[in-house]
């Protein structure tokens, strides 16, 4: 899943693709680089961010979703709003990526159930403005697992088909660096829920802190590609179904190496069926490049 934030303020690529033509070109490039989905988002979730009105979010994402799908690019819409999701599905989006796991908008489950499309349920505790206060856990992996299980139950109760559900631990969302590393190390406990898992560490600040200078200055966003690729390969080798990344080409290359080396597995338990969620098949990667962001985050 290639990240396409059509926002002026996302931490990882803020402002870069706010222009529609530029966004479409970048989405097309990520698809050509091998992304199976291009994830179009119109509301920043960086910690502390204010919400944007639904109409603004829709105005940002819908033309891009429409243009990319017209070009044959499979698209997911990154939104917590049922209204925006419904309009994006109507415009051709194949998947709803909901960082709130259905919690932000009570109508989301109905929309997704009626559309019959895959739904990414991310672990979430609250909107960006206050998520830092919500990062308190007894055992982060057990707590995330329990809270994700509740979201799955709610989705099923609303009529969403089990083979349409994807889960996501929500790295950096009401989670500190130690929480993110624990979730990475203990991914099998989340996979044990029996659903395909999306892993989204790309360029997040805990990678910047891992790679900080001796004086403690975090590595800037554009210096986190190798660390992102490493986390993605580890996640896939542990059984993740997909990875959400900005640097598609580097990720696809690394996963080609993983595949050519016999898909070594980091866990003994059988990973979930990766074909369980209907959706697009990746295109072979033709030539192209990726761009680097220069903004900082606090996630
Ligand atoms: N992270 C961001 C946005 N959308 N979606 C899912 N499913 N999982 C995530 O962890 C996630 C997401 C924030 O990162 P960005 O600003 O780089 O898009």
């Amino acid at each position: 899943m290639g990240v396409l934030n059509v926002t002026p303020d996302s931490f990882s690529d803020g402002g870069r693709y706010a222009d529609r033509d530029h966004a479409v070109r970048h989405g097309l490039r990520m698809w050509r680089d091998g992304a199976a989905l291009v994830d179009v988002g119109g509301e920043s979730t960086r910690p502390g961010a204010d919400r944007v009105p639904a109409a603004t979010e829709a105005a940002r994402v819908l033309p891009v979703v429409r243009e990319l799908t017209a070009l044959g690019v499979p698209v997911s819409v990154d939104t917590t709003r049922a209204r925006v999701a419904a309009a994006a599905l109507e415009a051709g989006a194949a998947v709803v990526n909901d960082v709130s796991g259905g919690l932000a908008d009570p109508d989301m489950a109905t929309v997704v159930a009626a559309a019959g499309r895959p739904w990414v349920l991310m672990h979430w505790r609250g909107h960006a403005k206050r998520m830092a206060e919500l990062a308190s856990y007894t055992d982060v992996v057990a707590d995330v697992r329990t809270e994700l299980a509740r979201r799955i139950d709610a989705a099923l109760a609303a009529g969403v088909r089990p083979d349409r559900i994807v889960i996501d631990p929500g790295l950096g969302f009401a989670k500190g660096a130690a929480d993110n590393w624990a979730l990475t190390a203990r991914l099998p406990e989340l996979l044990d829920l029996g659903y395909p898992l999306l892993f989204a560490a790309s360029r997040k600040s805990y990678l910047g802190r891992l790679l900080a200078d001796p004086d403690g200055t975090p590595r800037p966003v554009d210096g986190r590609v190798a660390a992102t690729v490493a986390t993605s390969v580890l996640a896939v080798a542990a059984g993740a179904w997909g990875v959400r990344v900005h640097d598609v080409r580097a990720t696809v290359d690394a996963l080609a190496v993983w595949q050519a080396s016999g898909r070594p597995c980091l866990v003994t338990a059988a990973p979930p069926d990766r074909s369980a969620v209907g959706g697009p098949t990746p295109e072979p990667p033709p030539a192209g490049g990726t761009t680097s962001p220069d903004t900082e985050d606090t996630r």
Side-chain angles (χ1 to χ4, degrees), residues 37 47 170 210 242 254 274:
L37 279 169
L210 175 76
R274 286 165 203 270

Side-chain angles (χ1 to χ4, degrees), residues 183-249:
L183 288 160
T184 306
R186 292 165 57 192
L187 221 46
E189 291 173 52
L190 301 178
L191 290 164
D192 197 44
L193 286 167
Y195 289 86
L197 183 143
L198 180 70
F199 187 87
S202 191
R203 297 181 179 176
K204 287 186 176 169
S205 72
Y206 75 110
L207 300 178
R209 286 200 288 281
L210 175 76
L211 306 171
D213 282 349
D215 70 0
T217 308
R219 177 78 62 82
V221 180
D222 61 0
R224 301 175 191 169
V225 181
T228 298
V229 170
T231 55
S232 293
V233 172
L234 288 171
V236 170
W241 163 82
V243 287
R244 179 184 181 277
V245 297
H246 303 80
D247 303 286
V248 170
R249 195 146 200 236

